[in-house]
Amino acid sequence: MSNDRLGWEARQTSSLSLATKEDKGLFPQPNEVRSYGDSKTQPDDDSVSNASTPPNISKEGVAPSGSTTTTTAAYHPEPQQPEVIFPEGGLRAWLVVLGSFSGMVAGFGLMNSVGTFQAYLSTHQLADVSPSATGWIFSLYIFLAFGCGLQIGPVFDAKGPRWLVFGGTVCLVVGMIGVSESTKFWHFILTFSVLGGLGTSLIFTPAIGSITHFFSRRRGIATGLAATGGSIGGIIFPLTLQSLFPRVGFAWSVRLLALIFLILLIFANLLIRNRLPPKVGQKVWPDFRIFRDVTFALTTAGVFFIEWGLFIPITFLSSYAIANGVSTAFSYQLLAILNAGSAFGRAVPGYVSDRLGRFNTMIGTVALCLISVMGIWFNIDGSIAGLCVFAIIFGFASGSNISLTSVCVGQLCEPEVFGRWYGTCYTVVSIGCLTGLPLAGQILSENGGDYWGSIVFTGSCYTAGLICFTAARVLKVGWSLKARF
């Protein structure tokens, strides 16, 4: 054999040996099982060997005798992305759901109780303040609860949930203690709006984001179960405050609420955990380039419009009832009825979405919100029976406005960057939350206290949201009604 031939074989063997060392650990081993949800694959030895051996090259890296190959460099397989494995259940995963549920009872329970605070403050501490000005307290709170996710989401992706949830606990509990001592408009802005909004955001984003690390195929039902916490809080807190206000006064009622928050958030701190490591080079800064994804941009616009209208019924339903001659006690109970419907509306659509498609289910529930607002609320004229029917149907339909938005966004991105995408989405959405309530309050004032204008505005928001979600679905899967998306 010629010296040139011997030299070529030595170089080839040495190069392949180096490549094998460099690539070790990057690819599945012959007996390794990779799973994604319930699917499993187990490659055989030949398929693994052949995958890393080019034509006309033996497994030892030397061209067989008589080969006509002219290859002079080592063969390097194409890098493969490791599959993300989701447990889809198990003790650890469901404990994370329980921790998220506890955090949502506190954070979103307060958000779903803003109508109780609005009705009480507008007739007591802030009786001399206009409805549109009072609305800024709660709109700023909702704006910060959603808008701070722009920064909190990327931090969650890179650092995990622990310190975020702890910071949210401190802000929310201290904020409620501050609310108990507040007497002036700017007091409530600092305590309820700023501290309460920041605390809710610090809890809300990690609580939803952690679930995406454990569930993919069953993400809808897992997120829906956790999100029912907000509805449970929205049932318990208004009824509790209604009972306590005349007995112990506003200050001690809110202090008791702060104590309940503290107990719930201890469980959230102990149980909310992430599982997937951050991506290499993951940054903690937001990135608006993701709006280049047109489906994501349309989804964000859809969420913007439905959240723009969502909090108008939640905030003004009690005051609407009082303005139409309903007793104060029953007006508070209406909010509890709405949140009872919302509890089912967060869990049931989540279960259905895992089977029929997340966007398909969202389109159906948004359409039901539109029907309930324009078909029922617009026509009931203060009827107690009509108010109850509207509270139940709208509560059920609007429950998905929170629970399904996260799984819709999660369907468009990888779980390791969910926090960034979700936080970016809700930063845009928060602008609608900031302006929705003051705008509805101003419409109310312009109409001399008649609510029809605010109701029409709510219906218009849901109409626009329905169009955006439908467009996002059509862009992905077309007009086929059988397509699961």
Side-chain angles (χ1 to χ4, degrees):
M1 184 179 293
S2 68
N3 290 335
D4 290 340
R5 178 68 178 178
L6 289 173
W8 179 89
E9 291 177 351
R11 290 194 302 273
Q12 185 78 348
T13 305
S14 174
S15 299
L16 282 173
S17 175
L18 178 60
T20 301
K21 291 178 181 179
E22 291 175 344
D23 294 335
K24 185 176 181 181
L26 292 179
F27 307 102
Q29 299 303 309
N31 296 322
E32 184 179 0
V33 177
R34 295 291 180 94
S35 66
Y36 186 92
D38 291 337
S39 62
K40 295 183 179 180
T41 58
Q42 185 171 359
D44 55 32
D45 291 349
D46 291 338
S47 66
V48 174
S49 299
N50 292 337
S52 58
T53 307
N56 298 323
I57 297 293
S58 68
K59 294 180 182 179
E60 288 75 19
V62 181
S65 178
S67 172
T68 59
T69 182
T70 59
T71 303
T72 59
Y75 173 73
H76 291 274
E78 288 294 326
Q80 300 178 8
Q81 293 296 330
E83 293 178 346
V84 178
I85 303 171
F86 294 91
E88 302 292 354
L91 179 61
R92 184 184 177 197
W94 289 115
L95 284 177
V96 170
V97 175
L98 178 60
S100 299
F101 174 87
S102 297
M104 297 285 270
V105 172
F108 266 49
L110 176 63
M111 186 177 292
N112 289 330
S113 303
V114 294
T116 301
F117 283 94
Q118 192 272 342
Y120 186 89
L121 295 179
S122 63
T123 56
H124 292 80
Q125 291 96 320
L126 303 179
D128 57 342
V129 178
S130 68
S132 60
T134 304
W136 278 106
I137 297 173
F138 308 107
S139 63
L140 180 59
Y141 160 75
I142 298 169
F143 168 76
L144 292 175
F146 289 142
C148 291
L150 176 66
Q151 186 60 64
I152 294 172
V155 172
F156 165 76
D157 289 335
K159 305 297 183 182
R162 178 170 299 187
W163 289 107
L164 295 175
V165 177
F166 176 76
T169 301
V170 174
C171 288
L172 199 57
V173 173
V174 172
M176 286 300 99
I177 294 174
V179 169
S180 70
E181 302 294 335
S182 298
T183 57
K184 297 181 180 180
F185 177 80
W186 67 270
H187 294 170
F188 290 103
I189 289 289
L190 291 177
T191 56
F192 195 102
S193 304
V194 177
L195 284 176
L198 180 59
T200 298
S201 188
L202 286 166
I203 295 163
F204 161 59
T205 304
I208 294 295
S210 294
I211 294 175
T212 67
H213 285 217
F214 292 86
F215 296 89
S216 176
R217 181 173 51 84
R218 305 175 69 186
R219 187 177 294 167
I221 183 60
T223 305
L225 290 173
T228 58
S231 298
I232 298 299
I235 297 170
I236 296 173
F237 299 151
L239 296 178
T240 301
L241 293 173
Q242 173 201 346
S243 176
L244 291 176
F245 281 157
R247 296 183 181 181
V248 298
F250 179 83
W252 277 106
S253 299
V254 178
R255 288 173 193 145
L256 178 61
L257 194 64
L259 177 61
I260 296 173
F261 286 174
L262 178 61
I263 295 171
L264 290 167
L265 293 174
I266 287 175
F267 287 101
N269 277 271
L270 294 174
L271 298 178
I272 294 177
R273 291 289 181 268
N274 62 328
R275 186 182 66 90
L276 301 175
K279 280 196 167 186
V280 177
Q282 184 85 292
K283 298 180 180 180
V284 298
W285 303 110
D287 186 359
F288 284 99
R289 289 178 297 177
I290 58 180
F291 283 112
R292 294 174 182 173
D293 185 320
V294 179
T295 304
F296 174 73
L298 286 170
T299 301
T300 300
V303 179
F304 172 90
F305 284 117
I306 64 175
E307 300 286 354
W308 206 12
L310 169 64
F311 292 99
I312 295 173
I314 292 175
T315 304
F316 287 103
L317 186 60
S318 293
S319 57
Y320 170 85
I322 293 173
N324 282 274
V326 178
S327 67
T328 302
F330 186 75
S331 69
Y332 291 152
Q333 293 168 11
L334 274 175
L335 195 58
I337 294 171
L338 187 150
N339 282 298
S342 180
F344 291 99
R346 300 188 184 205
V348 175
Y351 177 83
V352 172
S353 72
D354 289 335
R355 284 150 179 79
L356 300 183
R358 281 75 185 261
F359 278 78
N360 294 344
T361 308
M362 175 64 90
I363 290 170
T365 56
V366 172
L368 185 57
C369 286
L370 175 60
I371 293 170
S372 65
V373 169
M374 298 307 299
I376 302 176
W377 193 18
F378 187 74
N379 296 298
I380 56 178
D381 295 326
S383 164
I384 293 179
L387 283 168
C388 292
V389 171
F390 169 72
I392 294 171
I393 296 178
F394 180 79
F396 177 84
S398 65
S400 64
N401 293 180
I402 298 296
S403 63
L404 285 186
T405 52
S406 61
V407 293
C408 286
V409 172
Q411 187 164 318
L412 304 177
C413 67
E414 297 175 350
E416 297 92 337
V417 294
F418 172 82
R420 183 185 302 273
W421 283 57
Y422 193 55
T424 303
C425 169
Y426 263 94
T427 299
V428 176
V429 172
S430 65
I431 299 173
C433 297
L434 176 66
T435 58
L437 293 180
L439 184 56
Q442 186 61 39
I443 293 173
L444 180 64
S445 299
E446 292 294 328
N447 288 324
D450 196 330
Y451 283 79
W452 73 268
S454 298
I455 296 172
V456 170
F457 174 70
T458 304
S460 301
C461 292
Y462 276 105
T463 301
L466 181 61
I467 292 172
C468 290
F469 272 105
T470 303
R473 181 193 182 278
V474 170
L475 187 65
K476 276 291 187 181
V477 298
W479 290 99
S480 174
L481 297 178
K482 296 181 179 179
R484 177 182 171 184
F485 180 69

